[in-house]
Structures are given as structure tokens and as C-alpha cells.
């Protein structure tokens, strides 16, 4: 059945559209964007007073399948994505087994085809087992559907291996996504190294652990000419270096997570593992640098780094807990709260950060409402008041610092390939 989304404010940065209009989807694709459309037998979604945007893309999530289905699976993760307004998600390869071969990539593609309610795009590993030594089967993974390579969760520590990876990725025209962390500098750390870590007697991860890796990689990116992307950037220096490289014309990009632009280490609840992630929540100075870099255009994508862990693992002593928090369902609301409502960026720019920004790195053929594009649409409110109750989450995990927070604005309905897959009750 066709779908007609009526009377919303359509914001499509890719086509330069920002006006009140209707969106008609037929056969799973955008058929028209114009005022006063009609279609006799279409399902009608009334978007009066709401924003109608191209389906949001999250280029950095962990779906935990195969291997850690007690934390999340492709179906539950995709439902959390839909409830967060995301229509496409890219899943990191740190599963069990690691997605370092066409076999695992194909498995994920096939499971997603049968179980996922949003589009799922696998990211292959850079090295076998993400062990950082031997390159994975990059060409074969691309053939099976991988859209990028990354060892996320771990960095590629060996510069020679990283150079080879960049060269291979360049020949396959794939972006390389690096989790920037010098493991020798971060070893043993549980939170950002600063006044708060000293006060609470916890071992610190210095900002330099991220900065030195970004610096090294930018040199290698220049050497190889490969498309290079910094995952979850969190420090002032790293953002400045990526911005410098970008201005030199290198194909270098970076993303920021909602938790890194919304929170700093001094806002952590002491010893609460819902605030434990990598990179850690940084200083207030770093956090404001991330916001500034988003506003200036140095950071071109918002990505959640949705990292589910079950309560049994997150309810240990702080030092023993795994790193990471879930984020799909709160990302849009946090972007509105921290970036748009205070006037740091416009609504138009926020939509770019969720659509054209990640699309330009991942090249999924999505992120626009142009006629003929896949019928992926995110409908959201900038005013709706709602409270996040993680116990109602679609994720299998509950690890978030945002439980109980009341937001102004959030997702209202999510349309994937012309079908409404989630709607706020
Ligand atoms: Zn990471």
C-alpha cells in the first residue's frame, strides 16, 4: 500500500528542501514531495506540527549477534533503532565470532533480512579476530555486504598493519573506522584521567591516549590517501587535528556520540557503571570542544556507539564492569536538548548530522527524500515532552545514564522502505 505523510515540515538537506509538504511513498520508494498530494488508497500519516526528515542513519552500533545474544540481537537492536528514529544502522564486527570473513558477514545480512525492522549494514573487521596482526578478508567481506572496516572496541595498534589496512581499503574503496586508543597509555584505566578520577580514586585514561592515535593515523591517511574515519571522537585535540586534516583536503571524517556531547566526567554519578564507556566521558573543556566541532562542521556525523551489556555484567564493581552504554532511543532527544534548543546548531544541521553526514562516509544510497530514493523517513517532534523509561526499552539491555530523564522533542514515527515500523503510542 502507498503511504502518504501529510502536512509535516519536510527537511531534506540532500535536496535543499525545507518547507511544509506531503511525502508520498510508493513501492517502497519516495514518489513525490510536494504540497497537497493525494493518493486514493494510501495509508495516511498525519505529520501536522512535526518534522519529516530522511530516515536517520546510525553508523556505529553493536548488535551483539552472533555470540552475545543475551545482551542484544539483530531483531531487538533494530527495534530499539526504530524507536529512536533510525532507519539504517551499521553494526560493528566485535561479535563472536568476529565478523572478519564473508561467512559471518553473510550470516548477519541474512539474519537482518529475516529479523530486523530497519536496514542493517555490517562493518567488517580490519584484522583477523580483531587481533591487530593479520588483515581480515576485506574484499570477500565487501562482496558479502560489508560497508566499511573497523576493529572497533580495539584500535589497530601496529602502524604497519594500519598502513596496509588503509592501502587495502583504498583499493576496495571502503572507509576505515578507527577506535582511537593507545592501549599502552590507557592500560588499566576506568574513566577519564582528571580531577574526578583523582577524587574517586579510579585509574584514569588520559586524553592523550586518543590524541596520539588520531595523530598517527592522520599521518598514515595522508600517506595512503584512504578514506579514514575516527569513531566516537571525544577530545579537544583530536577534534582539532581531524579538522586540520579535513581542511588540507584529506578524505578524513569523524563522528561524535550523544553522551560525549551531552556529558562530562564531573557529571558522572560516582562508581555508577552506566557512566562507564570508551572513550570515557571527558572534561567539561573537551565536551564543549565536541559541541563546538559539531557546530563548526569538523564533526559531520552523530553516531550512538549503542553498546548493550546485560545487568549481570554492569552490576559489578565499577572497575570490573564492561565499557559501553545503549544509546539508540535517546540520541535524537539529546541532540535536540544539547545542540538545537540552546541554539548551538539549527534543526537543518542536526538532520544533516543524522543523514547526509553518515551517508557521505558509508555510501548506503540513503539519507535523502529525493524522488526514487528508498522510502526511509524519520518523523519527529521538537516539542513533545516525554520521559525515557529504560524498562520499556526495546533493547535487551538497560545500561544507560539517561533513565528517567524528561526530554523536549523526540521520535514520533519511523518508516522503513515505505512501511511504518514504529510509532509513538
Ligand atoms: Zn569504539
Amino acid at each position: 500500500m502507498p503511504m502518504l505523510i501529510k502536512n509535516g515540515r519536510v527537511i531534506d538537506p540532500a535536496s535543499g528542501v525545507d518547507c511544509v509538504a506531503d511525502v508520498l511513498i510508493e513501492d517502497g520508494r519516495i514518489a513525490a514531495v510536494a504540497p497537497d498530494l493525494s493518493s486514493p488508497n494510501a495509508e495516511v500519516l498525519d505529520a501536522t506540527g512535526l518534522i519529516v526528515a530522511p530516515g536517520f542513519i546510525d553508523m556505529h552500533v553493536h548488535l551483539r549477534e552472533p555470540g552475545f545474544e543475551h545482551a542484544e540481537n539483530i531483531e531487538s537492536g533494530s527495534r530499539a533503532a526504530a524507536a529512536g528514529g533510525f532507519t539504517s544502522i551499521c553494526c560493528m564486527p566485535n561479535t563472536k565470532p568476529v565478523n572478519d570473513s564473508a561467512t559471518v558477514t553473510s550470516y548477519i545480512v541474512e539474519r537482518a533480512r529475516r529479523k530486523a525492522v530497519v536496514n542493517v549494514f555490517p562493518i567488517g573487521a580490519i584484522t583477523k579476530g580483531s587481533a591487530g596482526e593479520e588483515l581480515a578478508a576485506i574484499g570477500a567481506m565487501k562482496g558479502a555486504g560489508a560497508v566499511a572496516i573497523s576493529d572497533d572496541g580495539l584500535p589497530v595498534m601496529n602502524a604497519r598493519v594500519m598502513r596496509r589496512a588503509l592501502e587495502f581499503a583504498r583499493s576496495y574503496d571502503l572507509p576505515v573506522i578507527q577506535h582511537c586508543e593507545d592501549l599502552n597509555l590507557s592500560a588499566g584505566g576506568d574513566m577519564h584521567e582528571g580531577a574526578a578520577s583523582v577524587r574517586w580514586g579510579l585509574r584514569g585514561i588520559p586524553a592523550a591516549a586518543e590524541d596520539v592515535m588520531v595523530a598517527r593515523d592522520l599521518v598514515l591517511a595522508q600517506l595512503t590517501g584512504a578514506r579514514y574515519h575516527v569513531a566516537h571522537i571525544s577530545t579537544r585535540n583530536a577534534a582539532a587535528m581531524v579538522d586540520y586534516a579535513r581542511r588540507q583536503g584529506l578524505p578524513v571524517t569523524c563522528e561524535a556520540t550523544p553522551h560525549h556531547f551531552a556529558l562530562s566526567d564531573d557529571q558522572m554519578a560516582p562508581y555508577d557503571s552506566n557512566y562507564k564507556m570508551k572513550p570515557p566521558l571527558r572534561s567539561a573543556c573537551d565536551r564543549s570542544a565536541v559541541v563546538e566541532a559539531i557546530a563548526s562542521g569538523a564533526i559531520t556525523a552523530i553516531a550512538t556507539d549503542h553498546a548493550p551489556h546485560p545487568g549481570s555484567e554492569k552490576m559489578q564493581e565499577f572497575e570490573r564492569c564492561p565499557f559501553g552504554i545503549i544509546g539508540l532511543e535517546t540520541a535524537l532527544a539529546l541532540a535536540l536538548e544539547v545542540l538545537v534548543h540552546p541554539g548551538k546548531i539549527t534543526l537543518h544541521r542536526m538532520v544533516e548530522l543524522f543523514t547526509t553526514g553518515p551517508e557521505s562516509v558509508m555510501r548506503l544510497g540513503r539519507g535523502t527524500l529525493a524522488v526514487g530514493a528508498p522510502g526511509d523517513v524519520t518523523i519527529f517532534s521538537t516539542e513533545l515532552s516525554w520521559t525515557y523509561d529504560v524498562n520499556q526499552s526495546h533493547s535487551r539491555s538497560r545500561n544507560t545514564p539517561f533513565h528517567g530523564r524528561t526530554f523536549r522533542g523526540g521520535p514520533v514515527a519511523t518508516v522503513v522502505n515505505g512501511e511504518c515500523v514504529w510509532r509513538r503510542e
Side-chain angles (χ1 to χ4, degrees):
M1 195 179 2
M3 175 174 286
L4 185 57
I5 303 165
K6 294 287 289 179
N7 289 322
R9 176 178 164 196
V10 178
I11 301 180
D12 180 19
S15 322
V17 171
D18 186 348
C19 62
V20 174
D22 302 341
V23 176
L24 178 64
I25 307 173
E26 285 174 344
D27 301 322
R29 296 196 167 260
I30 306 292
V33 179
D36 301 319
L37 291 173
S38 64
S39 176
N41 45 20
E43 176 187 355
V44 175
L45 259 173
D46 181 12
T48 306
L50 302 175
I51 310 296
V52 176
F56 286 2
I57 298 164
D58 189 346
M59 61 181 290
H60 187 151
V61 304
H62 299 271
L63 295 179
R64 305 299 191 214
E65 183 180 354
F68 305 101
E69 287 88 348
H70 57 292
E72 194 76 288
N73 61 29
I74 289 170
E75 179 176 3
S76 63
S78 78
R79 288 191 185 279
F86 292 99
T87 60
S88 295
I89 52 180
C90 304
C91 55
M92 285 296 179
N94 58 340
T95 47
K96 198 166 140 192
V98 168
N99 180 12
D100 60 3
S101 70
T103 313
V104 182
T105 307
S106 303
Y107 175 84
I108 293 168
V109 168
E110 180 54 23
R111 288 291 291 173
R113 195 181 61 74
R114 284 194 281 155
K115 294 287 184 185
V117 299
V118 304
N119 309 300
V120 173
F121 299 93
I123 296 170
I126 297 173
T127 61
K128 285 186 188 160
S130 287
E133 286 158 16
E134 254 182 283
L135 290 186
I138 296 168
M141 289 189 295
K142 182 180 179 178
V147 292
I149 53 171
S150 179
D151 276 351
D152 185 58
L154 291 167
V156 178
M157 279 291 286
N158 184 319
R160 186 164 180 276
V161 173
M162 187 61 178
R163 177 195 179 170
R164 293 273 289 144
L166 288 162
E167 285 167 350
F168 260 81
R170 189 183 169 192
S171 65
Y172 289 112
D173 196 22
L174 286 172
V176 180
I177 302 172
Q178 175 78 301
H179 167 115
C180 291
E181 173 187 357
D182 183 299
L183 295 174
N184 298 311
L185 282 170
S186 66
D190 292 308
M191 64 174 287
H192 176 63
E193 180 182 292
S197 67
V198 172
R199 199 176 324 128
W200 298 330
L202 292 168
R203 283 183 293 181
I205 300 171
E210 179 166 332
D211 301 342
V212 298
M213 185 64 85
V214 171
R216 182 203 77 178
D217 280 359
L218 290 174
V219 172
L220 296 175
Q222 184 176 35
L223 177 68
T224 58
R227 288 156 59 201
Y228 171 76
H229 180 85
V230 178
H232 42 52
I233 204 160
S234 71
T235 71
R236 180 170 287 270
N237 282 339
M241 288 187 281
V242 170
D243 194 36
Y244 174 78
R246 191 177 68 97
R247 287 173 192 280
Q248 302 301 303
L250 294 180
V252 165
T253 51
C254 64
E255 72 196 24
T257 71
H259 46 276
H260 287 117
F261 66 64
L263 296 173
S264 48
D265 63 345
D266 54 334
Q267 293 169 304
M268 291 170 62
Y271 314 109
D272 181 343
S273 64
N274 288 315
Y275 294 83
K276 181 175 179 181
M277 67 286 281
K278 266 189 180 175
L281 297 175
R282 298 292 188 185
S283 68
C285 170
D286 288 310
R287 187 195 73 87
S288 64
V290 169
V291 172
E292 284 161 30
I294 289 171
S296 75
I299 292 170
T300 50
I302 294 173
T304 65
D305 192 8
H306 177 81
H309 293 288
S312 54
E313 285 169 26
K314 273 293 206 182
M315 268 145 74
Q316 312 173 76
E317 306 109 272
F318 191 82
E319 291 93 328
R320 295 171 63 106
C321 288
F323 294 88
I325 60 168
I326 60 171
L328 284 163
E329 294 167 326
T330 48
L332 167 56
L334 285 164
L336 288 167
E337 176 183 314
V338 179
L339 304 173
V340 177
H341 292 322
K344 304 282 185 198
I345 62 171
T346 63
L347 204 49
H348 186 274
R349 171 90 187 113
M350 186 200 77
V351 173
E352 285 181 340
L353 288 157
F354 281 116
T355 58
T356 50
E359 169 62 24
S360 68
V361 180
M362 307 304 271
R363 301 184 186 169
L364 310 175
R366 294 175 186 266
T368 175
L369 295 176
V371 170
D376 294 353
V377 184
T378 296
I379 302 171
F380 67 96
S381 165
T382 57
E383 300 304 326
L384 170 88
S385 177
W386 65 287
T387 301
Y388 184 53
D389 177 359
V390 76
N391 298 310
Q392 306 294 317
S393 174
H394 293 263
S395 171
R396 285 194 160 184
S397 292
R398 299 282 179 265
N399 47 316
T400 172
F402 301 114
H403 172 60
R405 189 150 167 156
T406 297
F407 292 106
R408 178 180 150 212
V412 172
T414 306
V415 176
V416 177
N417 297 312
E419 263 183 67
C420 187
V421 296
W422 174 83
R423 223 177 154 157
R424 185 175 293 279
E425 292 176 8

